Amino acid sequence: MDCTFPLCSATQRSLQPARWKNSHSVRSHHSEHSLSPDGSGHQHSCLEPLECRDLLVQNALFTGDLDMVQKYFTKGAAVDLVIETRGDVLRWTSTKRGLWSLSYEQELTTPLLITASRGHTACLRLLLLRGAAVDFAPGGRTALHAACAASSAVCARLLLRAGAHPEALSEDGHRPLHLCCKSSDSIECVRLLLQHGASVNSQTEEENDTALHVASRHGLAEHVQLLLHHGAELEVKNKEGQTPLNAACAQHHQPQDMDRYYRVCQLLVESGASINAADRDRQHPLHLACKNANAQIVELLLARGANVNVMNYGGNTALHNILQVAAYKLEHRPELVVRALLNHGAVRVWPGSLLKVLRYCHLCPRVIEALVNSYSHVRVSEDWEAAVPAEVVQKYPCFYQSLFSLGHKPRSLQHLARCCLRTLLEGRLLLVLSQLHLPSALHQFLLLGFEDVLY
């Protein structure tokens, strides 16, 4: 929320309200209950909301100046004012002369919402004591929405104790619980809402997301654990047909966030989430995890029996998905995903398409290494050398020289033996190897361990 306010002709006055005309924007009216000075709820009459354009009043609210707020909001003064501020969203507006300009959308707010959104607990408490309507929402959301979005547990507690509705629906179809599942700092807000009767499985109006969808999408393991403890449903699907597990696997994340998303998926899977749940495009969690090149999640899903060769509507398997993004996910180590899929029985790329894969994935030689080592023989031609830029060959000289040399010499006997054994144990490779007491080096060799050179 921006602190820029409309100018007022008399800024030295205390409060000079004017009639508020945008009655169609009111989402909820005055609550019948507010907090009395002794902490108990009392009824008050529903007055027509008044508009405040006074800069001094607005600045006192936005800065949390308790002395000034006490001065302006004395006993008996209007508390449920409507304040117009500049929002964060740009939109095109037309002037009287027919010209269009890009300006920030104007938002309607209240003193209670301003103080709640900024964590000004002393001011918020004062406004509640002065009888502020706790669910008044001229701008489409309540003060509780604002407190939860700001991860202000103290403000949320004050509002809930004053009778704020934990299931209030904002203009864009969100409940407070949905908003406080977007930040790791809001875990206490989640606890408070659930303690005060918020429904753990309520869905947003447009996306049909539950709080578990939102927390999973943002990689918030602690939130996910708390929601599951309170009975969050695992298989609810949103508008895109995603379960919370799908949502977690689909969310793009940076390498430093891979552990967080793995922990979220681990919690969901261990709680019984379906690992083969498909969304509207028949994308399974494995497809989505491969698009994000998260090897930990891929290994988790495969270990739980995910179908490694299932296709989406586009005809792509999980292996297709990781090869398509490998060049853009180098820091995620996509080679680990490729190796995991191959070791779990993924149908290999048609040998005639390996040259195309090389053109796309030459920046990640270990992806090429894993693929080439899954075949006993690969026909390497001069086109392969032309497919790799000279600067990439200079960066990985040993690997690419060994790759190009396969065009005129056979693979080593050791490699051929590996391929023979992998073919023999196809579909049972990991199960059998786990029962054999093989030396670590041999075990890694059979599982396509990386050597950065081809023999």
Side-chain angles (χ1 to χ4, degrees), residues 203-251:
Q203 294 176 268
T204 60
E205 284 194 332
E206 292 188 9
E207 303 88 359
N208 292 337
D209 279 334
T210 64
L212 191 58
H213 279 99
V214 180
S216 300
R217 186 177 295 117
H218 286 82
L220 305 180
E222 191 175 4
H223 289 61
V224 168
Q225 191 170 28
L226 180 60
L227 293 169
L228 290 173
H229 178 73
H230 281 80
E233 295 181 12
L234 290 163
E235 303 306 321
V236 175
K237 291 193 174 185
N238 62 15
K239 189 175 181 180
E240 300 299 322
Q242 293 181 335
T243 65
L245 180 59
N246 290 93
C249 292
Q251 185 65 25

Side-chain angles (χ1 to χ4, degrees), residues 24-343:
H24 63 278
S25 298
V26 180
R27 184 73 180 188
S28 62
H29 300 289
H30 285 301
S31 171
E32 293 184 355
H33 297 276
S34 61
L35 197 66
S36 63
D38 62 359
S40 61
H42 68 84
Q43 288 190 344
H44 61 83
S45 60
C46 295
L47 301 175
E48 186 176 356
L50 305 174
E51 184 180 12
C52 172
R53 292 181 176 270
D54 194 293
L55 284 175
L56 296 179
V57 175
Q58 294 178 11
N59 284 329
L61 293 167
F62 275 101
T63 60
D65 189 333
L66 181 59
D67 291 336
M68 297 302 292
V69 172
Q70 286 177 325
K71 174 183 176 181
Y72 295 130
F73 294 93
T74 57
K75 290 184 179 180
V79 179
D80 297 323
L81 305 175
V82 176
I83 299 172
E84 189 174 14
T85 65
R86 192 180 74 174
D88 299 324
V89 180
L90 284 168
R91 67 174 181 178
W92 289 100
T93 56
S94 177
T95 63
K96 293 181 179 180
R97 296 183 179 181
L99 299 176
W100 288 84
S101 63
L102 193 61
S103 60
Y104 285 97
E105 184 174 355
Q106 298 299 307
E107 294 182 353
L108 300 178
T109 186
T110 67
L112 200 67
L113 192 147
I114 292 171
T115 54
S117 66
R118 300 197 167 224
H120 300 323
T121 54
C123 295
L124 178 68
R125 186 180 290 107
L126 174 69
L127 293 172
L128 290 171
L129 290 171
R130 293 289 185 262
V134 71
D135 287 326
F136 182 42
R141 62 174 185 161
T142 67
L144 184 58
H145 284 102
C148 290
S151 302
S152 179
V154 178
C155 290
R157 183 181 290 107
L158 285 172
L159 292 165
L160 288 166
R161 287 178 177 176
H165 197 325
E167 281 287 281
L169 195 65
S170 68
E171 194 171 46
D172 56 1
H174 290 81
R175 291 176 170 82
L177 189 60
H178 300 129
L179 298 179
C180 65
C181 286
K182 296 182 179 182
S183 167
S184 59
D185 298 329
S186 62
I187 186 67
E188 187 58 31
C189 291
V190 177
R191 289 195 181 95
L192 287 168
L193 288 168
L194 293 174
Q195 290 169 4
H196 284 79
S199 173
V200 73
N201 290 311
S202 61
Q203 294 176 268
T204 60
E205 284 194 332
E206 292 188 9
E207 303 88 359
N208 292 337
D209 279 334
T210 64
L212 191 58
H213 279 99
V214 180
S216 300
R217 186 177 295 117
H218 286 82
L220 305 180
E222 191 175 4
H223 289 61
V224 168
Q225 191 170 28
L226 180 60
L227 293 169
L228 290 173
H229 178 73
H230 281 80
E233 295 181 12
L234 290 163
E235 303 306 321
V236 175
K237 291 193 174 185
N238 62 15
K239 189 175 181 180
E240 300 299 322
Q242 293 181 335
T243 65
L245 180 59
N246 290 93
C249 292
Q251 185 65 25
H252 297 294
H253 50 270
Q254 298 301 316
Q256 63 268 24
D257 297 322
M258 293 174 74
D259 288 339
R260 289 198 298 115
Y261 280 90
Y262 167 72
R263 177 59 180 152
V264 166
C265 292
Q266 185 181 43
L267 286 168
L268 294 171
V269 169
E270 290 178 351
S271 298
S274 173
I275 55 173
N276 287 316
D279 62 19
R280 291 194 312 176
D281 296 324
R282 292 191 61 186
Q283 298 270 26
H284 291 229
L286 187 60
H287 290 118
L288 301 167
C290 287
K291 281 188 173 182
N292 285 311
N294 192 318
Q296 288 179 283
I297 297 178
V298 169
E299 291 274 14
L300 171 69
L301 297 172
L302 291 171
R304 293 281 179 158
N307 188 339
V308 71
N309 290 315
V310 67
M311 293 184 180
N312 60 20
Y313 271 137
N316 287 346
T317 65
L319 185 58
H320 287 111
N321 280 2
I322 183 60
L323 293 178
Q324 288 173 354
V325 303
Y328 311 102
K329 299 281 186 179
L330 298 180
E331 294 182 357
H332 294 70
R333 301 193 65 189
E335 68 273 13
L336 299 179
V337 177
V338 173
R339 183 176 66 180
L341 295 172
L342 292 171
N343 286 335

